[in-house]
Amino acid sequence: MIIHIDCNSFYASCEIIFRPDLQGKPVVVANCNEAGGGIILALSKEAKTIGLKRGNPIFQVKEIIEKNNVAVFPANLVKYCDISRRIMQVVIDENIVHNFIQYSVDEFFGTILEDDPDKLKRLLLKLKDDIERGIGVPVSCGASTSYTLAKVATWYSKHYPAFNGVCILPKEKITAALERLPVEEVWGIGRASKHKLDHFGIHTADDFVNKQESFIKRFFSITGVRTWKELQGEPCINIDDPPQQRSIMHSRTFTYMTDNIEVLNTYMSNFVAAATRKLRDQHSVCRSVTVYIVTNRHREDLPQYNNSASMQLTTASSETPLIIKTALVLLGKIYRSGYNYKKAGIILSDIASDRSVQLDLFADSHNDHGRQRRLMAAADSINTRYGMNKIRIASQGFEESKLNLNCFQPLKNQTTNIDDIIQVKSNK
DNA sequence: TCTGGGGTCCTAGGACCC
DNA sequence: TCTGGGGTCCTAGGACCC
């Protein structure tokens, strides 16, 4: 049976670990910036019941937050990734789950060689209990014969308290489960498909399954057919660990719009620095660089302009200076004055291992390549030790405050930084 | 005032080939 | 009236995911 583990309100649950006084209270995690912008990314159950939703801009729900004394945390991905890794380790140590794979920061898939639903339920209850007691994050579990069905089971475990957070969906119960499942709850059915399905009178997952394969193929393409097969218990989604990321992206929405090319150049340089660092951390190089800029789509009163440009590098690279240079050339090509830009970003793609770089036949000296590599390695190790951007390219700028587009609050990393470790006070 | 960030996969259509 | 036929490769954009 394929099993699925899903962390409940993951980001919010992670924050509550270190603030046990907030247990049972409304908690939200948002990606805030210094102007109080940002949107809600995750919410505790209690925050949902008072009407807050994922995606709400903070400024729109300010009243609800203040009235109900909601705790708002800035998102701290480093912390959440570390906690996710610890959950993974708990499961691995149990030694009952095979092919255990992290699907996302808060979801896992695996296989358990146990067909008896009762025995499987006991195994998963124990696993859930061990995660909750060992790490402090509540989880929901589902099990069935395909990935999509395992997620259906998890959906039931979350929506019906009688399951105690663990739902097993054996073959004979699949139809009954799909008959009661709104089709838009199925993994792989998004907003656009929901619209089409409504039009065809398909409202439950079972309605979807009962259509002909040719119909599904015609209107929902090959991906729809996969979901259709998965819902019938035939696993056909590939969830192997990707050997390597295929693209790396870095982008930010600016707190304030800007039409200044110099400012955009500074932002872009920093995006490239972050993206290339990630590229080097996974021992990769990229061949293709794409930059884009967009205006504020929420401001219909202002002229809109979005554009992007790409370039292929002669030699695949992960060197910050070279890629900044490339990105700034591209930015110069798509930049138009007279627009207020709200967001910009970079995408590195065509990624390969740095062990198989095809050098440029016509380059002056291949030694240069080795030198650049050592330079980057030295810069990375200094920045790891003394803090992000202690060593930087001049075009990244020097004003610390302006570099921080994302979040102005210093984040507490209780699980990875000894200085941030939680303090327990005695009550005299 | 303030409206996220980072991914994957698929398709249609254009450019090009013989 | 009828205006070839069969490919490949690339890219932009859509849809979906968390």
Side-chain angles (χ1 to χ4, degrees):
Chain A
M1 293 281 269
I2 291 174
I3 64 146
H4 175 239
I5 300 176
D6 195 327
C7 302
N8 303 343
S9 311
F10 185 54
Y11 292 1
S13 301
C14 287
E15 296 299 344
I16 293 170
I17 295 175
F18 305 100
R19 286 289 305 277
D21 57 305
L22 293 175
Q23 200 125 184
K25 305 221 169 96
V27 172
V28 308
V29 174
N31 51 348
C32 0
N33 59 35
E34 63 237 69
I39 63 164
I40 295 179
L41 299 174
L43 338 68
S44 68
K45 208 168 56 222
E46 295 75 15
K48 282 172 196 161
T49 57
I50 57 171
L52 296 175
K53 287 198 175 67
R54 187 178 195 282
N56 283 149
I58 292 285
F59 77 93
Q60 278 178 6
V61 291
K62 217 173 172 122
E63 249 176 64
I64 303 181
I65 287 176
E66 282 167 6
K67 215 174 93 190
N68 296 277
N69 210 7
V70 178
V72 181
F73 288 91
N76 182 348
L77 275 301
V78 173
K79 188 196 292 181
Y80 310 146
C81 286
D82 184 61
I83 292 170
S84 179
R85 187 188 56 74
R86 288 162 188 245
I87 292 171
M88 184 107 191
Q89 199 56 51
V90 168
V91 177
I92 290 169
D93 290 345
E94 298 271 321
N95 238 341
I96 52 165
V97 182
H98 303 266
N99 308 320
F100 194 58
I101 279 168
Q102 177 160 33
Y103 171 72
S104 72
V105 72
D106 71 332
E107 278 184 61
F108 309 87
F109 283 106
T111 317
I112 293 186
L113 304 172
E114 177 58 72
D115 286 331
D116 181 68
D118 293 331
K119 286 184 187 164
L120 187 56
K121 173 124 186 177
R122 280 198 293 278
L123 284 175
L124 286 181
L125 279 170
K126 173 164 188 322
L127 206 57
K128 171 179 156 69
D129 192 51
D130 288 341
I131 293 171
E132 293 178 356
R133 281 189 302 122
I135 307 297
V137 172
V139 298
S140 304
C141 306
S144 192
T145 54
S146 73
Y147 297 103
T148 306
L149 286 173
K151 284 193 64 137
V152 169
T154 303
W155 186 88
Y156 274 96
S157 79
K158 283 192 179 192
H159 284 76
Y160 294 84
F163 285 115
N164 291 319
V166 173
C167 172
I168 314 294
L169 199 54
K171 263 203 185 85
E172 60 274 16
K173 292 192 179 159
I174 291 174
T175 303
L178 297 187
E179 280 170 356
R180 290 169 186 76
L181 185 70
V183 68
E184 65 271 23
E185 298 294 336
V186 173
W187 192 32
I189 308 281
R191 252 206 340 256
S193 298
K194 153 91 172 126
H195 212 75
K196 254 193 274 182
L197 290 162
D198 267 346
H199 177 254
F200 290 122
I202 298 170
H203 303 298
T204 69
D206 190 57
D207 293 339
F208 186 73
V209 164
N210 285 328
K211 288 286 167 189
Q212 294 283 320
E213 181 171 343
S214 54
F215 170 88
I216 302 292
K217 173 94 207 312
R218 175 155 171 225
F219 292 105
F220 303 96
S221 91
I222 184 74
T223 41
V225 173
R226 272 182 211 142
T227 298
W228 182 78
K229 285 185 176 170
E230 281 261 330
L231 285 175
Q232 297 171 66
E234 183 185 333
C236 49
I237 293 177
N238 189 8
I239 317 232
D240 291 343
D241 268 325
Q244 212 164 38
Q245 261 173 261
R246 306 175 65 88
S247 70
I248 290 175
M249 169 167 167
H250 195 91
S251 68
R252 284 292 177 273
T253 297
F254 316 140
T255 307
Y256 307 104
M257 295 183 281
T258 182
D259 64 346
N260 186 328
I261 181 74
E262 299 300 328
V263 173
L264 291 172
N265 280 339
T266 309
Y267 289 162
M268 188 58 72
S269 300
N270 281 285
F271 298 164
V272 174
T276 47
R277 173 67 202 254
K278 196 170 168 198
L279 192 61
R280 291 191 295 273
D281 283 348
Q282 63 169 51
H283 305 290
S284 302
V285 288
C286 74
R287 279 212 65 167
S288 176
V289 178
T290 303
V291 306
Y292 68 90
I293 42 177
V294 301
T295 49
N296 189 345
R297 66 193 162 94
H298 299 286
R299 292 288 300 271
E300 287 168 12
D301 54 319
L302 297 176
Q304 299 287 318
Y305 172 70
N306 308 328
N307 207 350
S308 70
S310 303
M311 195 182 280
Q312 299 283 324
L313 303 172
T314 346
T315 304
S317 171
S318 61
E319 295 160 19
T320 309
L322 171 74
I323 298 178
I324 285 183
K325 212 161 127 188
T326 309
L328 295 190
V329 168
L330 291 170
L331 183 57
K333 277 190 196 166
I334 55 175
Y335 172 82
R336 300 279 177 275
S337 61
Y339 293 97
N340 287 304
Y341 297 97
K342 182 62 181 168
K343 181 181 177 183
I346 177 140
I347 303 163
L348 307 178
S349 48
D350 213 339
I351 289 174
S353 163
D354 64 3
R355 280 172 303 186
S356 57
V357 181
Q358 175 75 55
L359 295 177
D360 183 358
L361 180 60
F362 303 106
D364 290 341
S365 159
H366 290 175
N367 287 333
D368 197 46
H369 175 69
R371 281 184 59 207
Q372 282 295 332
R373 226 189 233 217
R374 290 195 295 279
L375 178 63
M376 286 294 105
D380 288 345
S381 75
I382 290 168
N383 285 337
T384 302
R385 188 153 168 196
Y386 298 105
M388 254 313 235
N389 289 322
K390 275 288 177 288
I391 294 224
R392 66 184 92 172
I393 306 299
S395 63
Q396 288 178 254
F398 296 93
E399 286 170 81
E400 214 60 59
S401 63
K402 289 204 175 153
L403 293 181
N404 209 339
L405 298 155
N406 186 19
C407 188
F408 69 108
Q409 287 187 40
L411 299 171
K412 288 254 180 210
N413 289 312
Q414 295 95 337
T415 65
T416 50
N417 185 345
I418 194 73
D419 295 331
D420 288 344
I421 204 159
I422 192 167
Q423 288 182 19
V424 181
K425 290 180 184 160
S426 66
N427 194 2
K428 282 191 186 163

